[in-house]
Amino acid sequence: MTSASSSSTHADPAANSFQVDLRGLVDLLSHHLYSSPRVYVRELLQNAVDAVTARQALDPEAEIRIRLSASAGRVTIEDSGIGLTAAEAHSLLATIGRSSKRGGDHGLETTRREFLGQFGIGLLACFVVARQIRVITRSARDPQAAPVEWLATDDGSYTVRELPEDARREPGTTVILQARPGAEEWTVPAKVEQLARDYGSLLPYDITFTEGESGGEGSGGGEPRGITDRPAVWDRPFPTPAARRVALAGHCAQLFGFTPLDSIDLDLPVAGVRGVAYVLPEPTSPAHRAGHRVHLKGMLLTDHADNLLPDWAFFVRAVIDTDTLRPTASRENLYDDETLSAVREALGARVRAWLAELAASEPERLAAFLSVHHLGVKSLARHDAELLGLMLPWLPFETSEGSMSLQEFTAAHTEIHFTRTVEEFRQIAPIAAAHGLGVINAGYTYDADLLALLPTVRPDLKVTELDAGAVTERLDPVPTSAELALAPFLSTARTRLEAQGCDVVLRAFQPVSVPALYLDDRQARQERDRTAALDSADSLWSGILGALRGSAPRARLVLNHNNPLIRRISALPDEALTGTAVESLYGQALLMSQRPLRPADSTLLNRAFLGLLEWATHSTDSQEGQK
């Protein structure tokens, strides 16, 4: 009782309406919501198209007419659409968030799906370029209603008045914009026409543009020119597939500025998507997210949608028309929701299907595509074992036998070795080729991942990372007698390189011009790094790292017994000079491998270089002294 009595003694709070500062709204629209003032043309076209759509729903036999005209400082658009009464002009034209396109408002039974506008910003967005907006309209729903003028200025005020009967005899609407100072460039006729074509070329109604002064009914002073260009090029009939490809190539050149390698139809009737993807003629980075062109019910939504296709499809630029995907509030991009996610997956499947079709029936076109975009296909194949098997005959790799497809390479090698770095491959490739060792350079993007997956597609293949032992085993051994004779030399060499964590072996291999080969593998590098850490660690960490000592083989300097220089060095009588020569060979082989030098390696190189200079100059001095 007490509570009820207490609440009855308080008056209910009065309801208040939000107030909108139009100048602040224009600043918000132009600097934060819209990327450019150019969108005002889209708003004009959108309102006209939606008005005509509503008129057709009311009277399917009504004449359809949308006329756009412009002169310097003035833009006019006239439509034969549904029109407005005075009450509707008050309610709709000056209210943020209210839209006649929401089903049921003002007697409209047409569903929201059929309209372009959904957010209720409407004509107010045109204030990004206009100081004044004048609307002359007559309702088709109420034939007895008089024509109405709605006049608004950018100071936030507007008036609504009824006009004489002859002000506008037919139902429909005429909108006249007067440019505000500083925005005249956006109302120049050539600019207005270009923007209208850009936004409205696929709209479902014929739209014309006239250059020159317009009267209240939008009659221009010049010859009307068509804005729309329907049907879309991908929906037009052509006499032959070749003629269609030529037409699509021309469309791509006009739209994106390049002639495509090929085109891919993107037809998803269930998802309400139609369009085409154009294959780029030049390589592009997988990290680059291409901007795709999206039309919503014929109206251009954006030409930089980066969420339409999967990231791996970076080798295409797409243009589509859709009636199912949702726009953002600015209507300049796609809203990333479950529907878009499903469409993105379906479009990706269409690109995969195109690749499969080329592999099955048009290998020449596939080869031309892969010569440019093999990186993209490799990226895709990492996640699709079926596609990997399909593309296997065509995917190119750098191998010890030259650049070739993986299928060609595996025809000669069932045991495949690969290097993880380009530098390691380039050092070992000539030796591997000469001795029949199949090595693939997996230092490029995606190659290591693909090779790891290869046994799942081809179980008969063995794929392993190249290690020093595998290479050494393939090189020809030196006769035992020769190796015993060179035992003192090898002992000196091993002693000199002990500090570098490098072993020395003697082999005979091709090409003869290579005196020494530096080999290591991942395990050897890990052991070397552990040893370096051990040397600089305190007693506690020394004990821990010492317990982690591995049994992995160390790096190897393989001396080529076939090389004349090696034979001469091995025959030197001076042990100190022999050691300096071995250090020089080590340094040269290390530089040829293009690996980063450790401080200890740099010190050794400097010592060997200076030692050889000292020996050379000392030898010269001795000869001059004898003279």
Side-chain angles (χ1 to χ4, degrees), residues 496 575-585 607-612:
R496 279 300 185 103
E575 183 176 335
L577 179 58
T578 300
T580 300
V582 169
E583 289 180 339
S584 299
L585 289 170
R607 183 173 67 243
F609 178 70
L610 293 175
L612 289 178

Side-chain angles (χ1 to χ4, degrees), residues 26-155:
V26 170
D27 179 74
L28 176 67
L29 294 177
S30 59
H31 293 97
H32 300 284
L33 186 61
Y34 296 136
S35 62
S36 166
R38 70 200 300 267
V39 298
Y40 88 92
V41 174
R42 183 193 65 196
E43 298 296 337
L44 291 176
L45 292 173
Q46 173 183 292
N47 285 340
V49 168
D50 286 340
V52 167
T53 301
R55 177 73 182 277
Q56 279 207 314
L58 181 70
D59 180 9
E61 302 301 322
E63 178 188 359
I64 299 303
R65 182 179 65 257
I66 301 177
R67 299 171 180 165
L68 179 67
S69 61
S71 60
R74 177 172 169 145
V75 177
T76 303
I77 189 167
E78 178 202 4
D79 68 69
S80 59
I82 196 69
L84 299 172
T85 63
E88 291 169 352
H90 272 293
S91 176
L92 297 175
L93 296 183
T95 305
I96 304 298
R98 181 172 296 174
S99 173
S100 65
K101 274 75 83 173
R102 295 194 172 102
D105 286 355
H106 301 281
L108 294 182
E109 299 301 328
T110 308
T111 63
R112 177 180 177 182
R113 175 190 173 102
E114 296 174 4
F115 295 99
L116 298 172
Q118 300 175 5
F119 295 96
I121 296 173
L123 278 179
L124 296 184
C126 293
F127 276 118
V128 296
V129 300
R131 63 175 178 83
Q132 176 184 283
I133 302 175
R134 183 181 182 216
V135 178
I136 301 170
T137 182
R138 186 162 195 165
S139 175
R141 287 190 300 272
D142 185 358
Q144 304 304 316
V148 174
E149 178 194 70
W150 180 87
L151 183 65
T153 58
D154 62 358
D155 64 1

Side-chain angles (χ1 to χ4, degrees), residues 415-496:
E415 183 175 358
I416 299 174
H417 301 274
F418 67 91
T419 63
R420 290 190 178 272
T421 66
V422 175
E423 294 77 16
E424 187 178 3
F425 173 81
R426 288 176 179 168
Q427 184 197 19
I428 197 62
I431 289 89
H435 293 269
L437 186 66
V439 181
I440 291 179
N441 181 4
Y444 297 119
T445 306
Y446 307 133
D447 284 5
D449 293 339
L450 288 175
L451 291 174
L453 292 171
L454 184 56
T456 65
V457 180
R458 291 279 304 275
D460 57 310
L461 298 177
K462 179 181 179 182
V463 180
T464 58
E465 183 175 355
L466 184 70
D467 61 69
V471 177
T472 306
E473 289 172 4
R474 285 298 186 103
L475 304 181
D476 295 333
V478 176
T480 304
S481 58
E483 189 164 4
L484 288 174
L486 296 176
F489 162 70
L490 294 175
S491 177
T492 300
R494 289 168 182 147
T495 301
R496 279 300 185 103

